[in-house]
Every structure is written in structure tokens, then in C-alpha cells.
Amino acid sequence: MSETHPVPARVSEGAVGPVKSLADWREVRQRSADDPDGFWLGVTKERLAWATEPTRGLDGSYHTIMDGPIAWFADGRLNITVSCLDRHAASQPDKVAILWEGDDPSEVKRITYRELHEEVSRAANALKALGLQKGERAIIYMGMVPEAAIAMLACARIGAIHSVVFGGFSAEALRDRVRDCGAEIVITQDEGLRGGKPIPLKAVTDQALEGERGVKKVLVYRRTGNFVGWTEGRDVWWQDIVPAQSADCPATIVDAEHPLFILYTSGSTGKPKGVVHTCGGYLTYASFTHATVFDLRPDDVYACVADVGWITGHSYIVYGPLANGCTTLMFESIPTHPDAGRYWDMVERHGITIFYTAPTAIRALAAKGDEHVTRYDRSSLRVLGTVGEPINPDAWRWYHSVVGEGRCNIVDTWWQTETGGIAISPVAPATPTKPGSATLPMPGIFPVLMDAEGRRMQGPGEGRLCIEFPWPGQARTVWGDHPRFVATYFEHYPGMYFTGDGCRRDADGYHWITGRVDDVINVSGHRMGTAEFESALVSVEAVAEAGVVGYPHPIKGQGVYAYIVLQDGYTAGDAIEAEMHAACRTLIGAHAKVDLFQFVPGLPKTRSGKVMRRILRKVAEGQPEALGDTSTLADPSVVEAIVAGAKV
Ligand code: WTA
């Protein structure tokens, strides 16, 4: 019998969300199964402000997806910023929408719904003045300042499509994304600020745009005021153009399926995919899951400390919370600045009730000692969330008992860039939890486990996680490459969406995510493709071949292990390692760091030349005894050398 934690009474009492108890969960789920169209039409009409209400639910299916994307609410029309701003500016103008905490704890800004509505309207008018039109793309390359959220909403206001690029990505990575989406404009800052260190966002943008003709304008928010390079005629200061605009900008009404944003994410190839989310379905799902999972209450002070550069920031800092009219925190800094008590200091100062972070941060903070937590008053907390990677039971227990003092429910939320919102998770007031389990699916989500032979598994067991029916928040396509979308997600198991994750289901029907089963590694919750690392590494002249896998890392979840085959005439050593580090930094970004290099005489390959990654993985996981059959290898002696020189 595994350890189960009941929902604390103070979390279930007074619940207001769409699901208040397990009985509710069963009932709502049944409705979503019996009549998905009716269910989701009901949800969207209740939660969003439509200009023309939809009468249609789902169009298309996973069986027809090769012919074109599915659609939800196809005959509805709306502008999602009306749901996020106008209606709250009218009904609760003085409520704080964005509570911003800067890098330095003394820097706090409170932006009310009235102010946010006005500021987004001004920014939208500025984008129009700069020539951005409906359907055109804007890249947003910023740190965690309110203007990043304002820029996203301003694009949505005029029907433009944004693509936020995480501020840690390099100039090369930024340029790839600018090109892939055909951006007209880049919105950035002079510098970001994290942990007291400036991040050269404008300088990287300049480098990325060197020789690029497509981008007509660069809008630059002045954050630090330090000197930056300037291209006359192209660059415009935010502070020069936005405040001068009218605070009235009528929302451009678009079809439900108009794209809202593109977010690039790593997959099995070296080229990141531009995952496309559309307006009506995405916002419906973000709003519904945010209200449901956290049991959002009117007085909640909600804090998700992710970055807007990732999907968590899109769905659960900006779109879900604002659609739900709540106070959402934006945090510019890092959890250890000025010390490891920063999160709990914020909890005390702002009276945070819902706190949402990642396992990597939880593990890192647990390692710093409980006194950083216990010296602050955390009695306001009710729900503690985690996302991004599997959480190990020890970290879960620390979060539950030290941070939450046993008074909060923990919601271990499993989802992906592609799912748009939380798909498997406890519902705070309803679901008893087990440390390390994402527990039960959301209404409308029907997970299926597939065995090695591609058969659907019944009852308890471990297999590959698929989802059987479409839901409104699901990604619609890969920008400019629908065949890739179909091939990546829908061809492995016909009639199902394949998540790329492994999962175990226990006798209670609870889900335990075991991690990626494809060539994606999850380092500190940052999703990266092994192929991206490999192509960066082989760009170094001395490197002939590279094989990259993940391995268990006590803080980061997974570390990056690189097997390197050198060109003839080169000798392994610090100089080459330094060059390889630099290549990853330049071609991917500062967050893409190899933890361990092992120089090997060759990579294990089949006789047809395919790298046997399973062997690389087992050695990196410290399980050389579990290599299995190596008789099909072209050169078995390579394996002996790999095992002998293993770094773990
Ligand atoms: C992993 C982040 C276990 C998973 C929202 C997934 C998780 C990938 C969890 C998506 C969780 C996310 N437990 N694993 N609670 N949440 N993952 O697209 O492998 O950045 O496929 O979206 O993170 O990462 P992405």
C-alpha cells in the first residue's frame, strides 16, 4: 500500500472551483466523456467572453488529422484579451492583476486590471503604429518584466501572433526562430536582470538580426538603462512610443481558430518545433484548468514562478490567471537571490495562497536547509503546485511538510507545451495525493497506456502515455509543417496523441510519469533535444561524433552526458571541453550545459550504422550490467571501452 495523503480540511472547505470533491470529479468527468462537445461548449460559454458564441464543439479527429488540424468552437468569434482584460477592468478595475516583484526584493509594482487594460491598449496601438498587422508574427525576447506580458496581450489585442523566446537562448537560437516564423518585429529589453546580473537581451537580439531583412522593427523596453547598440530606423524605445498612444484600442475580433501564439519546443530532431496554439480552445482550457486544479478563489494571491519563455508562463502566469480575473505574480529573479529564503519571503510579504514551482527548485532549496523556509510565515499558503518533470517522493515530502507544514494540498501537474494546459493532476480540494504521482486526469482528458507491442493496456501497468480524444487546449499544428506535427504525435499509435512520456498506472488508477521515452532530456525542467546538443557539439572542429543522453542528477532531475569521438590527431582535454561548452552556449543558450563528457573511441552502432542509444543511456545511468544484447553491434569492443571509462 503506497503512502496516501488525504486533502487537508482547510483546502477542501469552502471550495469554489468547478470540481470541489472526488464525487464532483467523477460526475464532471462522466459528462465530459458522454458529451464532449456539449461539455466544452458549456465550459467556454461560462468562462470566456465571446463576440459570437460558438455552436460547434470539435471538428475533425485524430483519424483525419493528416488532412488538416482539428478545430474547436469553429463558428465562434472573439478576442481573448476581452476575456483577460476588458471584462475585469469593468467589474473589478482596482483589483491587482499583475503583482510584479523585481530582481531586488524592494522593487514591487502592482498593476490593476484598469491599468493593465490601458497599458495593453497603448502597447497594441504602438504595435499597429510600427506596422504590425493581424496574422503577422512578433518575437518577444524579454525577461520577467510586466511588459513581457503586456507585449503578449498587445499582440493578441490586434490579432498578431506572438512567439516568446526564453531570454536564455543564444543569438543563433533566436535567429532560427525569427526565421522559422517569419517575424516582422522583435520586442526586447535593453537588458534583463536576474540575481543581480544583467542579461544582454538587446545585444543578443542585434547579433541575431545581423543581415536579417525580414524584421522591420525592434521595440526595446528600457529596464536597466545601460548603454546598448542602436540601429536607426529599426529600433524604437518602448518608453518613447507606448506611453504616447491612446489607451483605447478596440479589440480585433478573430475566429476561434486564429493562432494566438507559436512556442518553440525541443523534440527528437535538431530543429525545434513551433507549436501552434489557437485563441478560443487554448484560453478555454487554460482558464478551466487553472480554476479547477488550484480551486481558484476570489481573494487568492497566486504565484507561478516560471518564466514566460516556457508554456507554464503562458498558460499559468498570463493567460489562465488573467482570464480568471485573479492576481498573478510575476517574478523577475531567481530562488536564491539574495538568499535561499526568497520564495518564502515573498509568500509572507504578499500573503501568497497558491504557489507553483518546479521540482528542480524544490530540490535545490531543500538542500539549503529548512531554516530558510521556517523563518517566514507561510500560513497563507493553501495549494502548492509542481510542474516540469517527475518529482521524487523525498522532494515532494519536503514541499508538503516543511514548506506547507502539512496544511496544503500538493498538486503535481503533468502536462506539456503541446497539451496547452494541465492534463493529469490532483484537483486541490478533491484529490488525495501520493508523493510522486500526478494522480488523475482532468475532465476531458482520456489517458491510455500502450505496451511495447502497441496494444492498449488495461488496469495497472507501465507503458507509453497516449491520450485518446482531442480537447480544446491541444496544440493544433507545427508552424509551417503540419506533416511533422502528424508524424511526431499521431503516427506512432493511430487514433491517439502520443505524449513522448512513459507512465505507470497503479491499482487506484493513479498516474506516475516515468519520464521521456524519446530523445528529449529534461534538465531542471528545461526541455532539450539530444539532437540539438549533438549538432552543437559536432560543430567543434575536433569533434567527429557526439552521442548525448540524460542521466539521473540529484538537483536538476536529469543531467546531460555527452560521449565524444574526436577527429584523428586531436587529444582529449580541457581545451576541447571548453570549446564544446562554448559551442552549446553559442548555438543553443546558457541553459544548455553538458554536465559530463566522456571521450570514447567510437559510438556503439548497429551494422546498419544506427547509434544504439540504449547502451549510451544504460552506461550513463550507472547500469552497465543491464546493457542487454550487444551482439548486433558492428564493433562490440567499443562498448567495453565505454563501460571502462564511464563517468558515473
Ligand atoms: C515533463 C512543461 C512528470 C514530461 C509544462 C513532459 C512532467 C515534459 C511533469 C513537457 C510532471 C511536465 N511530472 N513529468 N508533473 N510536468 N513533465 O513542454 O516529460 O516544457 O513531456 O511543458 O515535461 O515539458 P514542456
Side-chain angles (χ1 to χ4, degrees), residues 22 25 29 423-426 431-432 437-442 447 508-511:
L22 262 193
W25 177 83
R29 206 172 149 69
I424 304 179
S425 169
T431 318
S437 173
T439 76
L440 300 170
M442 287 284 102
D508 295 327
Y510 274 35
H511 295 77

Side-chain angles (χ1 to χ4, degrees), residues 265 311-312 386-391 412-418 438 499 501 513 515-516 522 525 527:
T265 191
I311 191 68
T312 305
T386 150
V387 62
E389 47 173 318
I391 181 164
D412 174 359
T413 65
W414 175 85
W415 59 294
Q416 311 176 291
T417 304
E418 295 87 342
T499 64
D501 278 341
I513 306 297
R516 302 289 305 196
N522 200 328
R527 178 171 159 181

